[in-house]
Amino acid sequence: MRKTVLTLIVAIAAAYSYAQEGFIRGKVLEEATGEPLFGATIVKQGTITGTSTDFDGNYSLKLPVGTHNIIFQSVSFQSIVLEGVEVKANEPTILDVVMKEDVQQLGEVVVTATVAKDNEFGVMLVQKKSVNTLDGISASTFRKVGDSNLSSAMKRVTGVSVQGDKYVYVRGLGDRYTLTSVNGMVIPGIDPDRNDVQIDIFPTGILENVLVYKTFTPDLPGSFTGGLIDIQTKAFPEKKNTSISMSLGYNPSMHFNSNALSYKGSSTDWLGFDNGARDLPVTPKTRLQQDNETTSLFDPTLGAERGSNFMNSSLSFSHRNQLVGKKLTWGYNALFTYRNRNSYFQDFERRQYERNAIGSGIGLVRDYTAKGDLSQNEVLWSGLASIAAKSANTTIGTTFLNIQNGVTSAVKRTRRNTALNNPTFLYNDILTYTQRNMFNNITYGKHQIGDVRLNWTNSFILSSQYEPDYRETAINEDDGQLGFRNGGLMNRFWRELSEVNENFKVDVEFEANENNKLKFGGLGSFRAREFDVYNYAYGNLSASNVNSTDPNDLSQFIISDSRTNGLYIQNATDESNAYDGTQTLFAAYAMNEMRIGERLKSVYGVRMESVKMNYTGIIEQDNGIEEKVTDQETLNETNFLPSLSLIYSLSETMNLRGSFTKTLARPSFKEKSEAFIVDPITGIWFIGNIDTKQAEILNYDVRWENFFRPGEKIAASLFFKDFTNHIAIVAFEVAPNQVTPRNVGSAVAYGAELEGSKNLWNTPAGTLSVGGNFTYTISRVDRTTVTVSETGQNEYQSEVNFKGSENGVERYRNMSMQAPFSINANLSYETTEQDWSANLSYNVQGETLTYVSASIVPEVYTSPFHSLNFKGSRNFGKDNNQSLSLRIQNILNDDNELRYRTESDSELFSLRNPGTTFTVSYSYSF
């Protein structure tokens, strides 16, 4: 009886153990090309239990709990046997492998499973085998250095600098020459007037890897020159995971400060949008009556209030999984992030200078100084949801991304105008709110039809920017008397921008033979924008004497039944500042990837892009008369963009690359307009130039690269870029605070990049690694090709006329927004058990020309900002499913500073001290 019971117990236990199942999942790559290997079989050794890879190289195999030997096989490839693969219950084991062509019939290779668990090798292989010059960073690197969002991770990519902890510049070129795509489809940022995307909205947990393309091929958009940043998300997560994370950040110079500024907005500001409290209380374009009834409709709050602010905070939630069915495999992701940041800049300063001829030299004469306090509250939340289904030959999926951003700003400062002809002293309050939203849906399909691969993608984007009830008050003090007689003002405005963007593209790829891979496709894109602005000002200012510098006390001077001569609101809208714009773009391309012998590969092709832009608004004709136009064509160009790349394999690990390409940069809707758009805090007026042309760029690149092992490489590059009609932001020659886009007839930028990464030592306890990159750029603009006045006078002539002689006037200068150098360095440590990690990173860009000079207007340069940051993380709990980290930003406590500069003088333009921020984060996964 006992034997029977014991036998039964053992049988039940064995059956239960066998019933427990898990998965092995991963990706199979072809070593020769770095591309996914379609149709490879994965089988448990000694059985017929197996599966095969789809056309993305992914596979999923269900196996009983225990240890197994797994065979990877494919026709004409060397088989691989992974021994000792451990399968756990209800948990996937990740195995990524690379298979070599079996040209010598060498049979199979037997290795242990542990060598194939790091996808860093996959990213390195993509870089090594890519037809583009590119750099990248993998999900395993995110985990190793403890990066929680993409902005901190990108600082380790060669030639990349991150501005404001959120915008990426490649090779020092500004956002005009940088594009961002998600899974191959270009998306805009939350600021409709920028090309680059605020990358800190992407948590690293949902990313597979990030690739930075530095050279153009015909299958990529033609409108990038510096770089294309492709963010690749995981459509099919390897395992089920739910995570929650939160953080608190403290800056001693910014938080819990009783002098911080704010004003009463709406009850939903903490959600990143206004609930209507700031909406225009009258119908737009209505002619207002000078009476109490109309004026009382407007919020009487005009000044900032002092009060303590809170520290930074964030919260995020994500859930993802892969479900394997009989016919289809499903993958889904859901993500929500919320961030609330407070900043307080004490003694924020903005100065304006003009050049003045003094004897035989040129000096700087101060025009005004604005100094005081600036507080901002920024709320940003984003939601991402994706679902995809695949069979062996087809994948179809869709992704929804919504980003909401609200920024409240309050300024209280004094402004001293020191111009000799009109000195004034003002008490200046500014209240602003900016609300941005971007909604994006990307739906895609991937199909393998025999030897042909067909991909299609549709992207629909809605974006908006709403700036309700900007308020500025300036109270003048003259001989001890307060009022509005000399420079005083009370202004308000509402601005609203909306844009719709629809894109559809198709790519077809097939191998004509073993040495030629052909690819062709096309793109159709449509964009439409509406921009409206409504200005209002208070009348009867000159008749008012006030007794307080606080704008909120002005309510006693507002018009009422008993004060018929008080301040009243009036319409000051200039309809020429509103505009509508449309852009249609059609593109088609063809390219061939051809092997020439065993070591040389060529990639050549051409892309055609045809674009039209139309403008609706008021423009000034040649005779000086303003006229309303509807759908006036402002741009009509068809361009052929050739591309030729050669990749020579010097050895198994070493490549030499060379390429020639032609690319474009197009002006934005705002630039091709007649609008006057002011930034009330800096006081800078942006004035559109409807005659702005698109820029055309010839690009030459050479790169040598050596890949030692995952995480270790060295590379050196040379590049040369020849710009025609480079678009620069240039100041008007007699108005230092007014800037406009101008085309530069001739400009070049050339330089070198050097990068390296190395594991300093590997010990049983952990790994210490170091990495760094240096980019050096020389740029040159022919100033005789830059128009700076309505009469056609160029920048060089303007300075010659101002100085009265050509002596000391340089014909060439640096390109605006082109950094002369950038340095990134990092030192990382991770324990073998991955329970401790630490990372120290440093980033700096050289002094960069920001605003170009003309006549009395001096040049403005952005000073180098030395960014030293530290992050340490401790993972603990079951399977390290919990994490606690400390991040310290701006350890050197450096300032954000812009400076005027002439041949002999340098003065402050603006100054902000961001201070040092300490952030503690906690995350939990289950």
Side-chain angles (χ1 to χ4, degrees), residues 872-909:
S873 298
R874 170 73 166 101
N875 299 326
F876 57 95
K878 182 182 178 181
D879 297 325
N880 285 333
N881 67 330
Q882 299 182 67
S883 174
L884 188 65
S885 65
L886 171 66
R887 184 182 183 191
I888 307 175
Q889 296 171 271
N890 194 23
I891 296 174
L892 302 177
N893 195 30
D894 208 2
D895 294 334
N896 288 315
E897 185 179 77
L898 281 77
R899 299 192 68 86
Y900 288 104
R901 202 178 75 184
T902 65
E903 303 91 331
S904 59
D905 209 350
S906 175
E907 294 288 353
L908 186 69
F909 175 86

mmCIF file of all heavy atoms in Angstrom, residues 872-909:
data_model
loop_
_atom_site.group_PDB
_atom_site.id
_atom_site.type_symbol
_atom_site.label_atom_id
_atom_site.label_comp_id
_atom_site.label_asym_id
_atom_site.label_seq_id
_atom_site.Cartn_x
_atom_site.Cartn_y
_atom_site.Cartn_z
ATOM 1 N N GLY A 872 23.286 56.588 -9.522
ATOM 2 C CA GLY A 872 23.565 55.307 -8.900
ATOM 3 C C GLY A 872 22.273 54.572 -8.622
ATOM 4 O O GLY A 872 21.283 55.173 -8.190
ATOM 5 N N SER A 873 22.259 53.260 -8.885
ATOM 6 C CA SER A 873 21.038 52.469 -8.728
ATOM 7 C C SER A 873 21.313 51.207 -7.927
ATOM 8 O O SER A 873 22.385 50.596 -8.038
ATOM 9 C CB SER A 873 20.461 52.071 -10.095
ATOM 10 O OG SER A 873 20.101 53.196 -10.852
ATOM 11 N N ARG A 874 20.332 50.815 -7.127
ATOM 12 C CA ARG A 874 20.386 49.566 -6.361
ATOM 13 C C ARG A 874 19.137 48.762 -6.682
ATOM 14 O O ARG A 874 18.006 49.214 -6.454
ATOM 15 C CB ARG A 874 20.431 49.871 -4.868
ATOM 16 C CG ARG A 874 20.247 48.663 -3.966
ATOM 17 C CD ARG A 874 21.487 47.770 -3.958
ATOM 18 N NE ARG A 874 21.454 46.816 -2.870
ATOM 19 C CZ ARG A 874 21.110 45.520 -2.997
ATOM 20 N NH1 ARG A 874 20.723 45.070 -4.178
ATOM 21 N NH2 ARG A 874 21.149 44.713 -1.966
ATOM 22 N N ASN A 875 19.344 47.574 -7.264
ATOM 23 C CA ASN A 875 18.239 46.671 -7.559
ATOM 24 C C ASN A 875 18.138 45.623 -6.453
ATOM 25 O O ASN A 875 19.153 45.080 -5.991
ATOM 26 C CB ASN A 875 18.450 45.980 -8.908
ATOM 27 C CG ASN A 875 18.515 46.957 -10.055
ATOM 28 O OD1 ASN A 875 17.837 47.978 -10.044
ATOM 29 N ND2 ASN A 875 19.337 46.659 -11.053
ATOM 30 N N PHE A 876 16.926 45.311 -6.050
ATOM 31 C CA PHE A 876 16.742 44.354 -4.974
ATOM 32 C C PHE A 876 15.376 43.687 -5.133
ATOM 33 O O PHE A 876 14.617 43.978 -6.054
ATOM 34 C CB PHE A 876 16.865 45.041 -3.608
ATOM 35 C CG PHE A 876 15.905 46.176 -3.402
ATOM 36 C CD1 PHE A 876 14.693 45.987 -2.753
ATOM 37 C CD2 PHE A 876 16.202 47.469 -3.868
ATOM 38 C CE1 PHE A 876 13.806 47.035 -2.554
ATOM 39 C CE2 PHE A 876 15.315 48.512 -3.685
ATOM 40 C CZ PHE A 876 14.112 48.298 -3.025
ATOM 41 N N GLY A 877 15.058 42.791 -4.202
ATOM 42 C CA GLY A 877 13.801 42.067 -4.273
ATOM 43 C C GLY A 877 13.923 40.810 -5.097
ATOM 44 O O GLY A 877 15.004 40.443 -5.584
ATOM 45 N N LYS A 878 12.802 40.126 -5.305
ATOM 46 C CA LYS A 878 12.776 38.898 -6.079
ATOM 47 C C LYS A 878 13.159 39.182 -7.523
ATOM 48 O O LYS A 878 12.538 39.989 -8.211
ATOM 49 C CB LYS A 878 11.375 38.277 -6.021
ATOM 50 C CG LYS A 878 11.279 36.961 -6.777
ATOM 51 C CD LYS A 878 9.858 36.414 -6.740
ATOM 52 C CE LYS A 878 9.761 35.124 -7.530
ATOM 53 N NZ LYS A 878 8.365 34.579 -7.523
ATOM 54 N N ASP A 879 14.220 38.506 -8.000
ATOM 55 C CA ASP A 879 14.719 38.694 -9.366
ATOM 56 C C ASP A 879 15.021 40.158 -9.655
ATOM 57 O O ASP A 879 14.843 40.640 -10.783
ATOM 58 C CB ASP A 879 13.723 38.154 -10.397
ATOM 59 C CG ASP A 879 13.504 36.657 -10.258
ATOM 60 O OD1 ASP A 879 14.470 35.949 -9.911
ATOM 61 O OD2 ASP A 879 12.360 36.219 -10.477
ATOM 62 N N ASN A 880 15.473 40.910 -8.619
ATOM 63 C CA ASN A 880 15.821 42.334 -8.789
ATOM 64 C C ASN A 880 14.666 43.126 -9.389
ATOM 65 O O ASN A 880 14.851 43.970 -10.272
ATOM 66 C CB ASN A 880 17.063 42.490 -9.667
ATOM 67 C CG ASN A 880 18.345 42.130 -8.935
ATOM 68 O OD1 ASN A 880 18.413 42.236 -7.707
ATOM 69 N ND2 ASN A 880 19.352 41.717 -9.676
ATOM 70 N N ASN A 881 13.455 42.869 -8.902
ATOM 71 C CA ASN A 881 12.287 43.518 -9.486
ATOM 72 C C ASN A 881 11.994 44.890 -8.881
ATOM 73 O O ASN A 881 11.019 45.524 -9.257
ATOM 74 C CB ASN A 881 11.054 42.624 -9.329
ATOM 75 C CG ASN A 881 10.629 42.468 -7.882
ATOM 76 O OD1 ASN A 881 11.462 42.518 -6.976
ATOM 77 N ND2 ASN A 881 9.351 42.277 -7.660
ATOM 78 N N GLN A 882 12.823 45.320 -7.945
ATOM 79 C CA GLN A 882 12.679 46.656 -7.381
ATOM 80 C C GLN A 882 13.979 47.427 -7.563
ATOM 81 O O GLN A 882 15.072 46.841 -7.591
ATOM 82 C CB GLN A 882 12.313 46.599 -5.897
ATOM 83 C CG GLN A 882 10.996 45.902 -5.620
ATOM 84 C CD GLN A 882 10.650 45.921 -4.153
ATOM 85 O OE1 GLN A 882 10.380 46.979 -3.581
ATOM 86 N NE2 GLN A 882 10.647 44.736 -3.529
ATOM 87 N N SER A 883 13.860 48.733 -7.688
ATOM 88 C CA SER A 883 15.042 49.551 -7.919
ATOM 89 C C SER A 883 14.911 50.874 -7.177
ATOM 90 O O SER A 883 13.834 51.483 -7.157
ATOM 91 C CB SER A 883 15.229 49.823 -9.420
ATOM 92 O OG SER A 883 16.287 50.716 -9.645
ATOM 93 N N LEU A 884 16.012 51.306 -6.576
ATOM 94 C CA LEU A 884 16.094 52.606 -5.922
ATOM 95 C C LEU A 884 17.314 53.323 -6.481
ATOM 96 O O LEU A 884 18.408 52.743 -6.534
ATOM 97 C CB LEU A 884 16.226 52.431 -4.406
ATOM 98 C CG LEU A 884 16.131 53.703 -3.548
ATOM 99 C CD1 LEU A 884 14.727 54.313 -3.662
ATOM 100 C CD2 LEU A 884 16.458 53.376 -2.097
ATOM 101 N N SER A 885 17.146 54.549 -6.935
ATOM 102 C CA SER A 885 18.258 55.245 -7.582
ATOM 103 C C SER A 885 18.345 56.691 -7.122
ATOM 104 O O SER A 885 17.351 57.291 -6.695
ATOM 105 C CB SER A 885 18.119 55.194 -9.106
ATOM 106 O OG SER A 885 16.975 55.897 -9.533
ATOM 107 N N LEU A 886 19.542 57.224 -7.224
ATOM 108 C CA LEU A 886 19.823 58.632 -6.934
ATOM 109 C C LEU A 886 20.484 59.243 -8.159
ATOM 110 O O LEU A 886 21.466 58.706 -8.680
ATOM 111 C CB LEU A 886 20.748 58.764 -5.731
ATOM 112 C CG LEU A 886 21.300 60.174 -5.460
ATOM 113 C CD1 LEU A 886 20.168 61.125 -5.064
ATOM 114 C CD2 LEU A 886 22.387 60.145 -4.390
ATOM 115 N N ARG A 887 19.940 60.362 -8.595
ATOM 116 C CA ARG A 887 20.497 61.072 -9.749
ATOM 117 C C ARG A 887 20.829 62.502 -9.338
ATOM 118 O O ARG A 887 20.007 63.179 -8.706
ATOM 119 C CB ARG A 887 19.501 61.081 -10.904
ATOM 120 C CG ARG A 887 20.037 61.710 -12.185
ATOM 121 C CD ARG A 887 18.977 61.723 -13.258
ATOM 122 N NE ARG A 887 19.483 62.255 -14.511
ATOM 123 C CZ ARG A 887 18.727 62.582 -15.549
ATOM 124 N NH1 ARG A 887 17.418 62.409 -15.483
ATOM 125 N NH2 ARG A 887 19.258 63.064 -16.648
ATOM 126 N N ILE A 888 22.034 62.946 -9.680
ATOM 127 C CA ILE A 888 22.476 64.308 -9.388
ATOM 128 C C ILE A 888 22.798 64.987 -10.716
ATOM 129 O O ILE A 888 23.685 64.543 -11.452
ATOM 130 C CB ILE A 888 23.718 64.332 -8.468
ATOM 131 C CG1 ILE A 888 23.468 63.492 -7.213
ATOM 132 C CG2 ILE A 888 24.057 65.761 -8.074
ATOM 133 C CD1 ILE A 888 24.692 63.369 -6.327
ATOM 134 N N GLN A 889 22.088 66.058 -11.032
ATOM 135 C CA GLN A 889 22.270 66.781 -12.292
ATOM 136 C C GLN A 889 22.948 68.122 -12.043
ATOM 137 O O GLN A 889 22.679 68.797 -11.045
ATOM 138 C CB GLN A 889 20.908 67.023 -12.957
ATOM 139 C CG GLN A 889 20.187 65.752 -13.379
ATOM 140 C CD GLN A 889 18.772 66.039 -13.823
ATOM 141 O OE1 GLN A 889 17.839 66.048 -13.016
ATOM 142 N NE2 GLN A 889 18.601 66.265 -15.116
ATOM 143 N N ASN A 890 23.820 68.483 -12.987
ATOM 144 C CA ASN A 890 24.562 69.746 -12.931
ATOM 145 C C ASN A 890 25.373 69.843 -11.627
ATOM 146 O O ASN A 890 25.243 70.794 -10.857
ATOM 147 C CB ASN A 890 23.621 70.946 -13.076
ATOM 148 C CG ASN A 890 24.375 72.237 -13.351
ATOM 149 O OD1 ASN A 890 25.508 72.240 -13.847
ATOM 150 N ND2 ASN A 890 23.756 73.367 -13.007
ATOM 151 N N ILE A 891 26.213 68.849 -11.415
ATOM 152 C CA ILE A 891 27.049 68.801 -10.215
ATOM 153 C C ILE A 891 27.951 70.028 -10.130
ATOM 154 O O ILE A 891 28.234 70.535 -9.035
ATOM 155 C CB ILE A 891 27.891 67.506 -10.207
ATOM 156 C CG1 ILE A 891 26.959 66.286 -10.110
ATOM 157 C CG2 ILE A 891 28.898 67.499 -9.072
ATOM 158 C CD1 ILE A 891 27.675 64.962 -10.252
ATOM 159 N N LEU A 892 28.396 70.543 -11.269
ATOM 160 C CA LEU A 892 29.293 71.694 -11.287
ATOM 161 C C LEU A 892 28.563 73.015 -11.078
ATOM 162 O O LEU A 892 29.204 74.071 -11.008
ATOM 163 C CB LEU A 892 30.059 71.737 -12.612
ATOM 164 C CG LEU A 892 30.906 70.498 -12.936
ATOM 165 C CD1 LEU A 892 31.562 70.640 -14.301
ATOM 166 C CD2 LEU A 892 31.963 70.273 -11.857
ATOM 167 N N ASN A 893 27.225 72.963 -10.992
ATOM 168 C CA ASN A 893 26.409 74.166 -10.768
ATOM 169 C C ASN A 893 26.721 75.244 -11.810
ATOM 170 O O ASN A 893 26.850 76.435 -11.493
ATOM 171 C CB ASN A 893 26.637 74.717 -9.362
ATOM 172 C CG ASN A 893 25.564 75.720 -8.950
ATOM 173 O OD1 ASN A 893 24.421 75.641 -9.391
ATOM 174 N ND2 ASN A 893 25.946 76.676 -8.113
ATOM 175 N N ASP A 894 26.819 74.826 -13.066
ATOM 176 C CA ASP A 894 27.133 75.764 -14.141
ATOM 177 C C ASP A 894 25.898 76.574 -14.523
ATOM 178 O O ASP A 894 24.758 76.198 -14.216
ATOM 179 C CB ASP A 894 27.662 75.016 -15.358
ATOM 180 C CG ASP A 894 28.595 75.863 -16.207
ATOM 181 O OD1 ASP A 894 28.857 77.017 -15.826
ATOM 182 O OD2 ASP A 894 29.073 75.371 -17.245
ATOM 183 N N ASP A 895 26.122 77.716 -15.203
ATOM 184 C CA ASP A 895 25.049 78.624 -15.607
ATOM 185 C C ASP A 895 24.753 78.476 -17.094
ATOM 186 O O ASP A 895 25.639 78.186 -17.906
ATOM 187 C CB ASP A 895 25.439 80.083 -15.334
ATOM 188 C CG ASP A 895 25.587 80.377 -13.856
ATOM 189 O OD1 ASP A 895 24.947 79.681 -13.056
ATOM 190 O OD2 ASP A 895 26.359 81.288 -13.504
ATOM 191 N N ASN A 896 23.480 78.699 -17.450
ATOM 192 C CA ASN A 896 23.094 78.869 -18.848
ATOM 193 C C ASN A 896 23.276 80.337 -19.200
ATOM 194 O O ASN A 896 22.554 81.193 -18.689
ATOM 195 C CB ASN A 896 21.641 78.454 -19.076
ATOM 196 C CG ASN A 896 21.464 76.954 -19.008
ATOM 197 O OD1 ASN A 896 22.247 76.213 -19.580
ATOM 198 N ND2 ASN A 896 20.450 76.493 -18.306
ATOM 199 N N GLU A 897 24.215 80.612 -20.069
ATOM 200 C CA GLU A 897 24.588 81.998 -20.329
ATOM 201 C C GLU A 897 24.746 82.241 -21.824
ATOM 202 O O GLU A 897 25.339 81.443 -22.542
ATOM 203 C CB GLU A 897 25.909 82.310 -19.609
ATOM 204 C CG GLU A 897 26.360 83.749 -19.701
ATOM 205 C CD GLU A 897 27.661 83.980 -18.948
ATOM 206 O OE1 GLU A 897 28.716 83.601 -19.485
ATOM 207 O OE2 GLU A 897 27.620 84.523 -17.836
ATOM 208 N N LEU A 898 24.191 83.359 -22.296
ATOM 209 C CA LEU A 898 24.429 83.857 -23.640
ATOM 210 C C LEU A 898 25.109 85.209 -23.509
ATOM 211 O O LEU A 898 24.771 85.999 -22.615
ATOM 212 C CB LEU A 898 23.129 84.000 -24.436
ATOM 213 C CG LEU A 898 22.523 82.725 -25.039
ATOM 214 C CD1 LEU A 898 21.816 81.902 -23.964
ATOM 215 C CD2 LEU A 898 21.535 83.076 -26.169
ATOM 216 N N ARG A 899 26.045 85.489 -24.425
ATOM 217 C CA ARG A 899 26.822 86.722 -24.322
ATOM 218 C C ARG A 899 26.933 87.413 -25.679
ATOM 219 O O ARG A 899 27.042 86.769 -26.728
ATOM 220 C CB ARG A 899 28.232 86.458 -23.791
ATOM 221 C CG ARG A 899 28.280 85.844 -22.399
ATOM 222 C CD ARG A 899 29.686 85.881 -21.829
ATOM 223 N NE ARG A 899 30.100 87.253 -21.548
ATOM 224 C CZ ARG A 899 29.844 87.900 -20.424
ATOM 225 N NH1 ARG A 899 29.155 87.315 -19.449
ATOM 226 N NH2 ARG A 899 30.269 89.138 -20.234
ATOM 227 N N TYR A 900 26.885 88.761 -25.627
ATOM 228 C CA TYR A 900 27.237 89.565 -26.795
ATOM 229 C C TYR A 900 28.755 89.531 -26.948
ATOM 230 O O TYR A 900 29.489 89.483 -25.955
ATOM 231 C CB TYR A 900 26.811 91.020 -26.601
ATOM 232 C CG TYR A 900 25.330 91.264 -26.660
ATOM 233 C CD1 TYR A 900 24.610 91.482 -25.489
ATOM 234 C CD2 TYR A 900 24.662 91.329 -27.871
ATOM 235 C CE1 TYR A 900 23.244 91.738 -25.526
ATOM 236 C CE2 TYR A 900 23.303 91.598 -27.920
ATOM 237 C CZ TYR A 900 22.597 91.795 -26.746
ATOM 238 O OH TYR A 900 21.254 92.056 -26.792
ATOM 239 N N ARG A 901 29.196 89.598 -28.197
ATOM 240 C CA ARG A 901 30.636 89.604 -28.399
ATOM 241 C C ARG A 901 30.998 90.411 -29.638
ATOM 242 O O ARG A 901 30.353 90.275 -30.687
ATOM 243 C CB ARG A 901 31.168 88.175 -28.536
ATOM 244 C CG ARG A 901 32.664 88.073 -28.213
ATOM 245 C CD ARG A 901 33.138 86.645 -28.315
ATOM 246 N NE ARG A 901 33.261 86.226 -29.712
ATOM 247 C CZ ARG A 901 33.594 84.993 -30.077
ATOM 248 N NH1 ARG A 901 33.787 84.069 -29.178
ATOM 249 N NH2 ARG A 901 33.703 84.688 -31.352
ATOM 250 N N THR A 902 31.995 91.270 -29.501
ATOM 251 C CA THR A 902 32.581 91.973 -30.642
ATOM 252 C C THR A 902 34.065 91.655 -30.662
ATOM 253 O O THR A 902 34.560 90.832 -29.888
ATOM 254 C CB THR A 902 32.367 93.492 -30.533
ATOM 255 O OG1 THR A 902 33.091 93.991 -29.395
ATOM 256 C CG2 THR A 902 30.895 93.836 -30.378
ATOM 257 N N GLU A 903 34.798 92.353 -31.528
ATOM 258 C CA GLU A 903 36.225 92.104 -31.635
ATOM 259 C C GLU A 903 36.960 92.410 -30.330
ATOM 260 O O GLU A 903 37.954 91.766 -29.996
ATOM 261 C CB GLU A 903 36.847 92.970 -32.750
ATOM 262 C CG GLU A 903 36.219 92.777 -34.110
ATOM 263 C CD GLU A 903 35.062 93.740 -34.350
ATOM 264 O OE1 GLU A 903 34.405 94.131 -33.364
ATOM 265 O OE2 GLU A 903 34.811 94.105 -35.510
ATOM 266 N N SER A 904 36.432 93.357 -29.559
ATOM 267 C CA SER A 904 37.165 93.803 -28.381
ATOM 268 C C SER A 904 36.348 93.797 -27.104
ATOM 269 O O SER A 904 36.848 94.224 -26.061
ATOM 270 C CB SER A 904 37.674 95.235 -28.623
ATOM 271 O OG SER A 904 36.570 96.108 -28.882
ATOM 272 N N ASP A 905 35.119 93.325 -27.151
ATOM 273 C CA ASP A 905 34.248 93.475 -25.991
ATOM 274 C C ASP A 905 33.337 92.257 -25.851
ATOM 275 O O ASP A 905 33.066 91.550 -26.818
ATOM 276 C CB ASP A 905 33.394 94.742 -26.131
ATOM 277 C CG ASP A 905 33.036 95.333 -24.780
ATOM 278 O OD1 ASP A 905 33.295 94.663 -23.759
ATOM 279 O OD2 ASP A 905 32.488 96.449 -24.763
ATOM 280 N N SER A 906 32.869 92.022 -24.622
ATOM 281 C CA SER A 906 31.940 90.939 -24.346
ATOM 282 C C SER A 906 31.041 91.356 -23.204
ATOM 283 O O SER A 906 31.519 91.851 -22.176
ATOM 284 C CB SER A 906 32.705 89.660 -23.980
ATOM 285 O OG SER A 906 31.816 88.636 -23.598
ATOM 286 N N GLU A 907 29.716 91.185 -23.388
ATOM 287 C CA GLU A 907 28.753 91.560 -22.356
ATOM 288 C C GLU A 907 27.651 90.511 -22.282
ATOM 289 O O GLU A 907 27.417 89.769 -23.234
ATOM 290 C CB GLU A 907 28.137 92.938 -22.652
ATOM 291 C CG GLU A 907 29.112 94.105 -22.574
ATOM 292 C CD GLU A 907 29.537 94.446 -21.156
ATOM 293 O OE1 GLU A 907 28.964 93.862 -20.207
ATOM 294 O OE2 GLU A 907 30.429 95.291 -20.994
ATOM 295 N N LEU A 908 26.949 90.504 -21.170
ATOM 296 C CA LEU A 908 25.906 89.518 -20.938
ATOM 297 C C LEU A 908 24.676 89.793 -21.798
ATOM 298 O O LEU A 908 24.240 90.937 -21.925
ATOM 299 C CB LEU A 908 25.506 89.536 -19.460
ATOM 300 C CG LEU A 908 24.521 88.462 -19.011
ATOM 301 C CD1 LEU A 908 25.173 87.093 -19.051
ATOM 302 C CD2 LEU A 908 24.011 88.775 -17.614
ATOM 303 N N PHE A 909 24.130 88.736 -22.387
ATOM 304 C CA PHE A 909 22.849 88.798 -23.090
ATOM 305 C C PHE A 909 21.732 88.260 -22.192
ATOM 306 O O PHE A 909 20.719 88.907 -21.979
ATOM 307 C CB PHE A 909 22.917 88.002 -24.392
ATOM 308 C CG PHE A 909 21.615 87.898 -25.138
ATOM 309 C CD1 PHE A 909 21.232 88.891 -26.025
ATOM 310 C CD2 PHE A 909 20.769 86.806 -24.975
ATOM 311 C CE1 PHE A 909 20.025 88.807 -26.722
ATOM 312 C CE2 PHE A 909 19.576 86.703 -25.659
ATOM 313 C CZ PHE A 909 19.197 87.708 -26.535
#
